[in-house]
Each structure stands twice: as structure tokens, then as C-alpha cells.
Amino acid sequence: MERIMPNRLDRAFYKYQDEFEKKAIEVLRSGWYVLGNEVKSFEKEFATFVGAKHCVGLASGLDALWIAFRVLGIGKGDEVIVQGNTYIASVMGITINGATPVFVEPDEYYNIDASKIEEKITSKTKAILVVHLYGQASNMTPIVNLCKKYDLRLVEDCAQAHGAKFEGKQVGTFGDIGCFSFYPSKNLGAFGDAGAIVTNDSEIDKDVRIIRNYGSEKRYYNKVVGANSRLDEIQAGLLRVRLKHLKEMTLEKQEICSRYLTEINNDKILLPRIREGATHIWHQFVIRTNNREDLIKYLDDKGIGTIIHYPIPPHLSEAYSYLNVKEGELPITEEYANTVLSIPLYNGMTKEEITLVVNSINSFMKG
Ligand SMILES: *Cc1c(COP(=O)(O)O)cnc(C)c1O
């Protein structure tokens, strides 16, 4: 069998090849390449999909995050609460504006532990950034209540969780702003960089539109120092094609993961769990083991690639040494960084590939 990669994007492309190619040619021939009708249509369709009033297409998920904090007026001197075990982009979204991240430990579902947030709230706290990590919706009810109690802004990083729900409500709609990435490997992926914010607040919608285009609403009349975070027509068009198939693509991943959950059986391996009331759209299938190096090598020898999300938590990365959060201060975050492993998961994975992954993990350390 061909080597199994932790992720591959070609299978999903070829499955819908005709539709993608037709759309690409249509956009190429249209003569309009940035912020046009494809972007407008995608924004409408994605807002409808999420169940939000507005969507603004942007150049990346990181832009969605920092622009979110910028329009909320959160920057220097302010603190934003975020989970310790997130992808570093979440933290950069906070610090690009000069705000300070305050890390909270994750729960057993790899999302922020809502019971540990209140003790971190200070007079400087302005917002909570909830990351729906690996595709599972976070425990939103206590978080929404804390935001009300302390008058905090709520921003959601939904880069890994397109369409995930908590108690029937889609992620991205619980607070002020939902931030999405459409980086190619995300569950709703473009063929290059792309991102978006969703919101129910028409002022926020307007402000984000101004910032993404050099701070201008009207061409050459610049109100604020903005950015260039425009979405390309070709990406928006291809995202519209992909969005039409997102439900079935999510179902396919859920079926692969339900096989993993029922068939992987090895006491050296801890499987992911799903919180009651939450849904999981499986951006990653993340297991944990105390024998990670051995397992990586064992699977590699069997032709199976794996990947670690993420080996260095943001507080221990060189980029954030200035925060002075020392090793040992976030023991659960650090333990996860030392033990997590993502096993192969992608649309178009064959039954044989899934079986090989299952059997290989099951035979690990069993002599
Ligand atoms: C991918 C990702 C981002 C950043 O998205 P880009 O489009 O790569 O800028 C932010 N947060 C999380 C949790 C992500 O997984």
C-alpha cells in the first residue's frame, strides 16, 4: 500500500475536480479578481451556514483574529484569556494589537477549562478568546455566563471547527465575533490562504470591512490605518464549491473517526472524547500516549505518518519568552504537548487505509 500521510488534500480535490475547475475558469475569465461577486456570494452563503447575520471575507484566519480584537478596541494594557494549548496563531491574534494573553489550562476535551477561567479575571481582562480545538465545540454555557457577569467580550477562534455545535448552536455565534480560517488543510479549506469573521453586529461588520481594505469604505477616502486583508475572487469561488459539500465531507470524517473510536483498543493509547452537548467535526483525531516517540517510529515503519499538534505550547515558544510564563506553570498544557499525537485523517481515506491505521495502533507494544 502507498504510504499513509497524516493529511492529504488531493483526494478531496479530485472528488469534486470538475466543479472546482469549472469555477476557477469562470473566475479567470470574469476579469474581476479581488472583492467581487464571488466574495459577496460566499459571505452570504457562509453567514447563512453559520447562522450569523454578517460574514466578512479576509485574507487569513490570523487576520480574522487580530482584526477582531482591533475593532473591539482591545490592545495595549488589556488582557485576553485564552487556553494554553492552542495553536500559536490564536495568541498572535491577541498580541499583534499589543494585548496580553492570560493562559488557562485545558479540560479533558482539549478545550479551555471553563471552571478555571474566573480565577484569572482581573481589572484588565477585556475578553475571552475561546478556541474550539481539533474540531470540538467548547463548553460555551459557563463561558457566556462569565462574559455577562464581568462584562467581557467573547471572541471565538473557529479555525478548526467549521459547523461544530454546542447545544444545537453553531460555534462562531456565541459572542461578539467568530473567526474562521480557510487555510487549505482546514475542514473548509481554500486553495491558498483565506479567512473570515462572522458577527451579528452590523457596526462590527462595517468596521471589519473598513480595516480589510486600507481603512477605507469609499475608495481613496481612508478613515483609519487599515490593512490589506482582502479575499480573492478565485478563493471565494472555490470556497463556495467546497461549502456546498461541507456537510457530506464532515460526515465522512465523522464516520472515519467513529471507526477509530470503536476499533482502536490499546491500553497504551488514550482516545479523544466528546463532551455531552458538543459536536465534533474532527479537524484532527488526537490520541495521547506516554510512549509517543516509540509509537511515531512504530507507525512510521509501517508506512503511517503522524503529526504533533502542537509540540511546543505558545507560552514556551521563543516568540513569547517575553511573557515570562515559566515551564511548569501550565502543567496540563505541557503534559498534552508532550503526549498528543494526531493520526491520519482526511477526506477520501480508504477503508483499507483506516484498517491499517487501526491494526497498527492496536498491535503497538503488544509484542
Ligand atoms: C489555522 C489556525 C489559525 C490561523 O489561520 P491562518 O488562516 O493559517 O492564518 C488560527 N487559529 C487556529 C486554532 C488555527 O488552527
Side-chain angles (χ1 to χ4, degrees), residues 315-359:
H315 72 285
L316 298 181
S317 76
E318 205 182 326
Y320 287 116
S321 58
Y322 75 87
L323 293 173
N324 267 314
V325 184
K326 296 282 180 262
E327 192 164 352
E329 280 186 44
L330 296 166
I332 301 171
T333 297
E334 292 166 22
E335 136 116 33
Y336 286 178
N338 291 329
T339 54
V340 291
L341 189 66
S342 305
I343 64 173
L345 176 62
Y346 45 86
N347 288 101
M349 205 172 174
T350 65
K351 290 204 163 54
E352 293 71 30
E353 287 172 333
I354 301 165
T355 301
L356 183 66
V357 172
V358 167
N359 291 344

Side-chain angles (χ1 to χ4, degrees), residues 23-33 234:
K23 179 58 81 177
I25 287 170
E26 187 187 318
V27 175
L28 288 173
R29 290 179 179 169
S30 75
W32 193 283
Y33 305 117
I234 200 156

Side-chain angles (χ1 to χ4, degrees), residues 281-299:
I281 57 112
W282 300 108
H283 177 58
Q284 304 293 347
F285 191 94
V286 178
I287 61 173
R288 262 171 48 223
T289 175
N290 291 322
N291 310 91
R292 187 167 68 183
E293 286 318 304
D294 294 336
L295 179 61
I296 291 170
K297 169 130 206 336
Y298 184 81
L299 294 176

Side-chain angles (χ1 to χ4, degrees), residues 48-61:
T48 303
F49 169 79
V50 173
K53 281 203 191 110
H54 310 280
C55 166
V56 187
L58 300 167
S60 74

